Amino acid sequence: MLSKLFISAVVLAVCVAERKFPPGFKFGAATASYQVEGAWNVSDKSPSIWDTFAHENPEKIIDGSSGDVACDSYHLWETDVALAKDLGLHFYRFSISWSRLLPNGLANVVSEDGSRYYNNLIDGLLENGIEPVITLFHWDLPQKLQDLGGWTNPEIAIWFEDYARTAFELYGDRVKTWLTFNEPIIICDAAYEKGTIAPGIASPGIGNFICVKNLMLAHARAYRIYDKEFRPKYNGKVGLTNNHVWYEPNTPDDEENTELARDLAAIYAHPIYSKSGGWPPSVEEFIAKKSKEEGYPRSRLPSFTQEEIEFIRGTYDYYGLNYYTSRKVSSGVPTGSSISWPSSGSPEIGIVFSSDPSWTAGYAWLVSYPPGLRKQMNWLVKQYGDIEIQILENGYSTPEPIMYDTSRVKYYEDHLEQVLLAIQEDGINITAYTAWSLLDNYEWTSGYTSRFGIVSVDFTDPMRKRTPRASAYYYATVIKNHSLDFPKH
Ligand code: GBH
């Protein structure tokens, strides 16, 4: 009798649990300072490289716009908190504008206005039962530091450490999840490839590699001061989030290049997450050989000292993953659009990217291939072992501000299904999922022409009216049921 009961209970649990998320799994949504805050010159805030870039190069932004006002979240943050609460979000991921908090870039002056703004936002979230998750750097470097070389000046690791310490001191008592960097691949690779995004410097194969070395050291410094000075009293987690495009070979002949493309993207992960530390060996070898052939006296990829390798290795409490799209890899010389990312290929490796006919074309670069998310996570676990993965961005855009956004609902459902498969079938330790974005916002060089929000924003309205879309209701229902299965009405 008892065993019969037990068996039916198990059967029932399996059926019911099928599309249920594990207890404690967290759902959130994300934004970034330059994309939502506006108030670009309020009080003592100094300009960031995106203020400069958008103001000086309107022709490089599809609609010639800037983030001067954006969603005006600097003034309307309470509305954002209320929306997050209505959605039932467990956490809200936002970023600090470095030049709003430290107008001088360096940590000698902390802006009263800036520190009050983030204090209010953090307290407002906590009062509503929403965890604040903070990104320290989501691309808006203080212009003053760019004038000194930005990410190509090795001193930036120290500037960043001081900035991070300021933020940990101010907010560490209430903020338990920190990201040092959002998508280093965009900060270094995309930024230096063609000069089409801030800071607008084209230095492919050189600037990007200097940038990643300094960025790795900056990350490690921030992590280590957290470890030493803040973890004992605050006990939070520090990591960063990488954007991965899942690559698949076009033909069996493209297998080797495809793995090299994955490794090349992992120069932003390997120094931190691998057991050995340092650059991925395949990449180190490949760039050294190429540099030699090109007549350089040394590799274009700067080396680390053994001390640096050890200083960076292991500086993480979780793996942050931003996943949007996938590409097929074949040999060839990339050409094509200068403002799209992922671009048409990798000139470094000599490969071109394409989509697969079976993958769903979305708006611009955003081809939807949900299994790519699961495959990417399996690849990461194979590389770095049994790491905790937090999905810190995933989302879909449309060119029009439609409210009944069925394509976005489908994108979310299909990707969440892959998250469940990765947890249930592959046993991957995924603890969080984040929708990009809570709001329509300033989509970098696409300006306001690409809408990622589950909540729409009317950019013609001085009050920037926010209206939840169908996808917001869908996401709220998933969160409430903690499952992809729920009664439909
Ligand atoms: C993420 O980037 C970012 O974290 C977020 O800020 C962004 O809004 C979101 O995803 C959606 O794009 O000027 O050539 O880079 C993902 C990578 C970066 C791809 C911006 C599209 C615009 C073209 N995206 N990029 S480009």
Side-chain angles (χ1 to χ4, degrees):
M1 177 65 197
L2 240 171
S3 69
K4 230 182 170 178
L5 247 179
F6 178 69
I7 289 167
S8 33
V10 168
V11 170
L12 187 76
V14 168
C15 294
V16 174
E18 218 166 57
R19 302 219 302 164
K20 235 185 158 8
F21 290 87
F25 186 91
K26 288 177 187 170
F27 291 97
T31 61
S33 46
Y34 187 71
Q35 294 179 275
V36 301
E37 283 178 3
W40 76 280
N41 62 355
V42 89
S43 173
D44 52 351
K45 178 181 173 295
S46 71
S48 79
I49 57 171
W50 269 95
D51 292 313
T52 310
F53 187 79
H55 291 158
E56 292 180 3
N57 309 279
E59 75 288 353
K60 293 191 177 172
I61 315 291
I62 290 180
D63 55 4
S65 65
S66 73
D68 285 3
V69 182
C71 306
D72 202 17
S73 288
Y74 175 82
H75 296 107
L76 301 174
W77 61 270
E78 283 167 290
T79 318
D80 298 344
V81 172
L83 281 167
K85 186 175 190 195
D86 286 349
L87 285 164
L89 297 186
H90 301 131
F91 65 91
Y92 176 53
R93 179 189 156 206
F94 62 94
S95 78
I96 295 180
S97 156
W98 186 339
S99 64
R100 187 182 301 287
L101 191 62
L102 302 179
N104 203 23
L106 305 177
N108 61 324
V109 178
V110 179
S111 163
E112 242 180 68
D113 181 73
S115 77
R116 183 177 47 238
Y117 172 65
Y118 297 111
N119 253 324
N120 287 342
L121 177 54
I122 291 164
D123 290 342
L125 288 165
L126 288 170
E127 278 159 22
N128 286 282
I130 305 158
E131 246 180 76
V133 170
I134 293 191
T135 315
L136 287 171
F137 188 81
H138 201 125
W139 310 353
D140 44 356
L141 186 73
Q143 181 61 44
K144 287 184 189 181
L145 300 183
Q146 184 60 46
D147 295 342
L148 299 173
W151 290 106
T152 58
N153 184 337
E155 287 297 308
I156 198 163
I158 294 169
W159 305 335
F160 185 76
E161 171 182 325
D162 294 343
Y163 163 50
R165 180 184 283 107
T166 308
F168 295 153
E169 265 166 6
L170 287 169
Y171 310 125
D173 57 337
R174 288 154 290 157
V175 177
K176 302 300 168 191
T177 306
W178 294 88
L179 292 77
T180 52
F181 292 102
N182 179 69
E183 301 184 350
I185 198 166
I186 303 290
I187 301 166
C188 297
D189 249 56
Y192 284 96
E193 193 187 347
K194 297 198 178 101
T196 51
I197 55 175
I201 297 166
S203 173
I206 307 286
N208 53 327
F209 289 145
I210 301 173
C211 172
V212 55
K213 179 179 174 180
N214 293 333
L215 189 146
M216 288 291 120
L217 287 162
H219 164 84
R221 277 179 174 273
Y223 183 92
R224 297 220 178 263
I225 58 153
Y226 188 86
D227 228 20
K228 198 166 143 228
E229 299 171 26
F230 301 93
R231 191 186 302 279
K233 45 183 180 196
Y234 297 146
N235 200 27
K237 288 187 174 185
V238 180
L240 83 176
T241 195
N242 275 308
N243 183 314
H244 288 277
V245 172
W246 173 246
Y247 296 122
E248 285 195 355
N250 203 26
T251 70
D253 284 349
D254 302 310
E255 197 82 53
E256 205 180 308
N257 273 343
T258 304
E259 192 59 16
L260 186 59
R262 293 176 191 144
D263 285 348
L264 186 58
I267 57 175
Y268 302 102
H270 198 277
I272 299 169
Y273 294 94
S274 69
K275 301 267 177 303
S276 55
W279 305 123
S282 64
V283 175
E284 198 158 34
E285 214 176 287
F286 179 78
I287 305 293
K289 186 164 165 276
K290 244 189 115 187
S291 306
K292 204 168 173 197
E293 285 162 12
E294 292 160 347
Y296 290 96
R298 65 191 81 243
S299 179
R300 288 186 275 104
L301 183 65
S303 56
F304 287 122
T305 63
Q306 194 53 38
E307 203 187 328
E308 287 170 334
I309 288 177
E310 271 149 38
F311 185 71
I312 299 167
R313 186 178 56 194
T315 53
Y316 68 90
D317 300 315
Y318 62 86
Y319 195 101
L321 171 65
N322 293 3
Y323 173 82
Y324 287 89
T325 192
S326 294
R327 290 292 185 274
K328 288 271 173 174
V329 169
S330 11
S331 303
V333 182
T335 52
S337 156
S338 56
I339 56 156
S340 68
W341 188 93
S343 51
S344 43
S346 164
E348 190 70 88
I349 302 179
I351 49 173
V352 291
F353 299 148
S354 57
S355 173
D356 187 273
S358 69
W359 300 349
T360 320
Y363 180 50
W365 55 278
L366 223 171
V367 175
S368 172
Y369 180 52
L373 172 56
R374 180 179 174 191
K375 292 179 183 181
Q376 183 65 52
M377 291 192 283
N378 274 283
W379 188 85
L380 291 169
V381 167
K382 203 169 131 224
Q383 301 293 314
Y384 309 129
D386 195 13
I387 39 177
E388 174 191 343
I389 297 183
Q390 299 203 15
I391 298 169
L392 291 172
E393 280 184 32
N394 179 233
Y396 191 75
S397 80
T398 59
E400 303 299 335
I402 40 168
M403 298 308 298
Y404 194 61
D405 53 344
T406 46
S407 55
R408 182 175 288 106
V409 170
K410 180 161 171 45
Y411 183 98
Y412 278 117
E413 178 165 22
D414 292 350
H415 284 78
L416 283 166
E417 193 161 55
Q418 296 295 319
V419 174
L420 274 179
L421 288 171
I423 295 172
Q424 295 170 351
E425 305 280 318
D426 310 332
I428 299 182
N429 179 20
I430 310 166
T431 57
Y433 176 87
T434 315
W436 180 275
S437 175
L438 176 66
L439 303 169
D440 282 345
N441 55 52
Y442 184 72
E443 177 54 16
W444 310 110
T445 52
S446 299
Y448 299 101
T449 68
S450 178
R451 310 276 184 146
F452 272 94
I454 55 175
V455 174
S456 84
V457 175
D458 182 354
F459 293 104
T460 63
D461 175 0
M463 289 314 293
R464 296 295 189 273
K465 187 172 173 0
R466 287 119 158 96
T467 315
R469 296 196 160 106
S471 54
Y473 292 99
Y474 171 76
Y475 195 44
T477 311
V478 170
I479 297 174
K480 194 163 156 240
N481 289 277
H482 213 67
S483 169
L484 291 183
D485 294 322
F486 39 80
K488 306 243 157 51
H489 40 254

